[in-house]
Amino acid sequence: MAQPSMADGHDEGQQHPVRLYLVVWVWLFILSACSYAVDYLQLQGYLRWSLILLFMILKAGLIIAVFMHMAWERLALVYAILLPGVMVLVFVALMALESDYTLATRLTYLGTDP
């Protein structure tokens, strides 16, 4: 009976090089420093919140891709985990866009000031 070779594509217990993890940790540190710099520079308004959210999403993406091994998973598993989160963000954006219309409709028909 033939032994399965490592060339079959079934590398059980494959480990990634330590350099990859060190590079990811350095990037996480840099992104965290940028996030703290937003507060240190006392940026205000939409610029502040958009930068904080951008750095947060980038850090979460790195953590999911490398430490949860999503970068090496099958596409179906990636879709099963990431697609619901993306859909929630789309629904939140739609609700945010519709909120002004809802408020205007309530003010028009109910006639009260919020």
Side-chain angles (χ1 to χ4, degrees):
M1 190 159 138
Q3 294 280 340
S5 69
M6 295 300 272
D8 290 339
H10 299 290
D11 300 331
E12 296 295 328
Q14 175 187 4
Q15 293 185 357
H16 304 290
V18 174
R19 182 179 183 274
L20 173 70
Y21 293 111
L22 292 175
V23 167
V24 170
W25 276 107
V26 167
W27 274 110
L28 287 172
F29 179 78
I30 290 170
L31 290 171
S32 294
C34 291
S35 183
Y36 290 127
V38 169
D39 285 334
Y40 183 75
L41 296 173
Q42 298 178 355
L43 298 175
Q44 298 295 322
Y46 287 122
L47 177 63
R48 172 190 175 124
W49 292 110
S50 60
L51 286 174
I52 288 174
L53 288 174
L54 174 71
F55 295 136
M56 181 175 48
I57 290 171
L58 288 174
K59 288 190 293 187
L62 270 175
I63 290 169
I64 289 171
V66 177
F67 295 122
M68 293 178 66
H69 303 282
M70 292 299 289
W72 299 279
E73 293 293 338
R74 292 189 172 164
L75 192 58
L77 184 61
V78 171
Y79 282 156
I81 292 174
L82 297 181
L83 196 60
V86 170
M87 290 295 112
V88 167
L89 290 176
V90 167
F91 291 140
V92 167
L94 287 172
M95 287 187 291
L97 291 173
E98 288 291 321
S99 65
D100 289 335
Y101 171 75
T102 303
L103 178 63
T105 304
R106 287 181 181 168
L107 291 177
T108 300
Y109 291 106
L110 297 176
T112 58
D113 200 15

